[in-house]
Amino acid sequence: MNENHLRLNEQAASFAPPVPAVQTYGLSRAYGSMTALSNLDLTVNRADLFGFIGSNGAGKTTTLRILATFLTPSSGRAEVLGHDVVRDADRVRHLIGYMPDFFGVYKDMEVTEYLDFFGACYKIPAAVREKTVADVLELVGLTEKRGALIGALSRGMQQRLGLARVLIHDPQLLLLDEPASGLDPRARIEMMAILQELQRMGKTIIISSHILSELQTLCNRCAIIEKGRLIYSGPVQGVRADSQAGRVFRVRVSTDMARALELLRARPEIVEAHEEDGRLRVTVREDLADAGVVAETLVRGGARLVELREEELGLEEVFLRVTKGETQ
């Protein structure tokens, strides 16, 4: 194959549509008279680091348990890497690693004994288990604790051990339910760095979390669920754009602020302008969203412009805007 053919193949690959890792079709789950999940249509692509966002009782854990084959749906269906989670449950279990928000550990076992046990459960040959255990310990940063008793580990280290356990059989899809729950700030940062490394290795990761500020920078795509229903699914940047009337700029002037507000409010492109924390907060129409409109208006009006920067909505603020706070 010549160089031109290689280049064409690379270009074709770059435009190839994403390949789904998880797809659900009208997925529903009821507990008696209570509907925990209602007609969920969700797609997670391979190599996504996918944030699953919702209040307590929204249906996140129910969804993850169905994908992990621990629950059967009341109606609808779900596929993991092309396999139905009900009809082909055994195959799915070998393709996934599921880490619940609370998981039991054998506190009197050593770290390596614990991982060796789970490696045996997945029928990893004894001849390769030692290296497999060493590899996952290195990946999660627990090599120095290989001989320690689990009961002597900190909460953060036990969470890392839980992640090592779900990695022991090299799953393609990770389902992580609140993996940073109860961790201190340093342990959370270290956990998120591990997840980014796993994504770089080609793993698909679905992570539910209440720490939205971390998901904002960690995930490339997300879904918001409330009261069992999907509100949004797509790029993280897309949910911000959908919830914002226009682009927002923060402005600081060294001249009369009231005069600057008067100038800005006179322009039809400006949706809103007001003072906030000693600066001006200016919203410009999305179809005419350009920082130049703000700068030109102020400078031509005689205002002295000191600072002009665009403001992005945080995921926490977006979540509050698009949900109503309803629970099951």
Side-chain angles (χ1 to χ4, degrees), residues 50-219:
F50 193 92
F52 202 31
I53 302 167
S55 305
N56 288 331
K60 305 188 305 298
T61 296
T62 296
T63 303
L64 293 181
R65 286 178 177 171
I66 290 174
L67 295 177
T69 75
F70 292 129
L71 284 177
T72 56
S74 302
S75 62
R77 63 191 180 91
E79 292 181 355
V80 169
L81 297 163
H83 300 275
D84 188 280
V85 298
V86 176
R87 294 196 305 268
D88 204 4
D90 285 342
R91 178 58 181 155
V92 169
R93 289 173 192 139
H94 282 82
L95 295 171
I96 66 167
Y98 173 58
M99 182 175 168
D101 51 351
F102 295 104
F103 59 93
V105 291
Y106 302 105
K107 295 188 176 182
D108 294 330
M109 291 181 73
E110 291 183 359
V111 166
T112 50
E113 290 177 323
Y114 178 78
L115 294 176
D116 185 76
F117 168 75
F118 280 98
C121 290
Y122 278 104
K123 300 181 180 179
I124 298 174
V128 300
R129 280 206 302 272
E130 183 177 352
K131 183 178 187 312
T132 301
V133 168
D135 287 345
V136 295
L137 285 176
E138 182 179 358
L139 183 60
V140 302
L142 284 181
T143 299
E144 293 182 358
K145 299 293 182 180
R146 57 184 301 119
L149 289 176
I150 295 174
L153 298 179
S154 67
R155 166 76 172 171
M157 289 183 180
Q158 288 189 17
Q159 288 289 90
R160 289 197 210 179
L161 180 61
L163 185 57
R165 175 178 61 80
V166 303
L167 291 170
I168 197 73
H169 61 295
D170 194 24
Q172 296 180 46
L173 171 67
L174 300 178
L175 306 171
L176 310 179
D177 197 356
E178 300 285 350
S181 175
L183 300 186
D184 62 54
R186 175 176 290 277
R188 286 205 308 270
I189 292 169
E190 291 170 349
M191 175 66 77
M192 296 306 163
I194 293 169
L195 298 183
Q196 288 177 316
E197 178 60 26
L198 289 169
Q199 185 193 27
R200 283 191 288 270
M201 293 168 61
K203 305 292 185 188
T204 304
I205 305 170
I206 302 178
I207 174 175
S208 74
S209 177
H210 292 300
I211 309 169
L212 302 188
S213 58
E214 290 176 353
L215 293 188
Q216 174 177 319
T217 54
L218 182 71
C219 300

Side-chain angles (χ1 to χ4, degrees), residues 28-38 62 66 71-75:
S28 299
R29 171 73 191 197
Y31 298 93
S33 60
M34 188 194 78
T35 301
L37 207 58
S38 180
T62 296
I66 290 174
L71 284 177
T72 56
S74 302
S75 62

Side-chain angles (χ1 to χ4, degrees), residues 255-256 259-260 262-264 267 294-304:
T255 49
D256 183 19
R259 172 58 181 162
E262 182 183 342
L263 291 168
L264 292 167
R267 291 293 295 260
V294 178
E296 179 190 9
T297 301
L298 292 172
V299 173
R300 285 193 174 184
R304 294 186 61 187

